[in-house]
Amino acid sequence: DVKVTQSSRYLVKRTGEKVFLECVQDMDHENMFWYRQDPGLGLRLIYFSYDVKMKEKGDIPEGYSVSREKKERFSLILESASTNQTSMYLCASSRTGRPGGEKLFFGSGTQLSVL
Amino acid sequence: GQQLNQSPQSMFIQEGEDVSMNCTSSSIFNTWLWYKQDPGEGPVLLIALYKAGELTSNGRLTAQFGITRKDSFLNISASIPSDVGIYFCAGQLYNAGNMLTFGGGTRLMVKP
């Protein structure tokens, strides 16, 4: 089974802090994604990457950056955390191609609270 | 980005009842998927649909790809307490690579 591991289940940070969320997948997937989940808004895409060192903006990239130095690892960075970034963050991965590439495998999520 | 309207937002039902939820869009999708998120976990894929009109089952779950390609439906028969969670629909446009658009989710609560 695919395993997507997020480094922290819960994080509490202060406004203005730099925050790193780490995600690792073990199935050699080309594509990796970062979503945030807010009640009633579903899952909104922040950034995605289809290859090492490649990144593309999703629907809500403002206030975030990402890093993908190795195929299995995709990091989300909040340069200066703000209270409106309090949310559940979900990492996902998928392989390239159809059919099957549309199927995302998610980590368990990181609940981030910014005080 | 694209919008998927998922309804209802939440449901509180009695164990044993059947459940229906749906997703609609103004755009035509090439693929529809249904995910379930258990409390404290990430979403897990339940069913994938690839053709208009397709009807696919996974145990007590049945999902359909709408004929217009702008909607999809998920039915759960004879609900049980472990069906509790948030159900998300997701659609993929033909030329969108691996990009998915997610609905807002349906929170299902089951009373034993």
Side-chain angles (χ1 to χ4, degrees):
Chain A
D1 280 352
V2 175
K3 190 160 187 182
V4 179
T5 303
Q6 295 183 230
S7 54
S8 304
R9 291 299 297 266
Y10 301 96
L11 275 179
V12 180
K13 296 292 181 181
R14 294 200 178 275
T15 300
E17 279 193 74
K18 191 169 185 176
V19 182
F20 292 87
L21 302 184
E22 306 286 346
C23 175
V24 177
Q25 51 95 2
D26 66 358
M27 282 301 291
D28 202 35
H29 282 172
E30 294 86 357
N31 308 305
M32 296 189 74
F33 306 81
W34 276 106
Y35 289 88
R36 66 177 279 176
Q37 179 180 9
D38 299 290
L41 298 178
L43 305 180
R44 293 180 293 167
L45 182 64
I46 305 171
Y47 266 97
F48 67 100
S49 168
Y50 54 88
D51 201 353
V52 175
K53 297 193 185 295
M54 305 301 290
K55 60 184 180 182
E56 296 284 345
K57 293 180 180 179
D59 297 321
I60 52 165
E62 296 78 18
Y64 304 94
S65 63
V66 290
S67 172
R68 192 161 181 207
E69 296 296 318
K70 294 184 178 181
K71 189 175 185 180
E72 67 271 17
R73 186 179 297 270
F74 193 34
S75 302
L76 180 69
I77 304 156
L78 287 66
E79 294 289 341
S80 177
S82 62
T83 55
N84 63 12
Q85 292 178 309
T86 291
S87 186
M88 169 69 80
Y89 289 88
L90 289 163
C91 175
S93 72
S94 72
R95 66 176 183 82
T96 294
R98 293 173 56 85
E102 69 284 0
K103 298 177 182 176
L104 299 184
F105 296 86
F106 286 88
S108 295
T110 297
Q111 179 63 52
L112 173 66
S113 296
V114 182
L115 306 178
Chain B
Q2 300 291 334
Q3 294 291 324
L4 284 184
N5 298 309
Q6 185 171 350
S7 65
Q9 280 197 337
S10 62
M11 299 179 73
F12 194 18
I13 62 169
Q14 194 78 35
E15 182 179 0
E17 288 184 359
D18 297 342
V19 174
S20 292
M21 59 191 78
N22 69 83
C23 256
T24 60
S25 172
S26 57
S27 300
I28 292 174
F29 284 96
N30 197 50
T31 302
W32 283 95
L33 305 106
W34 286 91
Y35 286 82
K36 183 196 177 192
Q37 183 179 29
D38 288 326
E41 299 295 329
V44 174
L45 181 66
L46 297 174
I47 293 177
L49 302 158
Y50 299 100
K51 295 180 181 178
E54 180 180 353
L55 191 70
T56 297
S57 294
N58 178 4
R60 293 177 295 105
L61 276 63
T62 301
Q64 184 163 21
F65 193 140
I67 292 292
T68 65
R69 297 174 65 191
K70 293 183 179 180
D71 54 11
S72 181
F73 307 88
L74 177 69
N75 296 313
I76 305 173
S77 62
S79 58
I80 60 178
S82 61
D83 290 334
V84 163
I86 303 176
Y87 292 79
F88 291 101
C89 62
Q92 183 184 46
L93 295 167
Y94 180 76
N95 60 351
N98 288 99
M99 305 311 301
L100 296 180
T101 300
F102 283 86
T106 296
R107 182 180 295 273
L108 179 64
M109 294 158 281
V110 180
K111 185 177 179 181

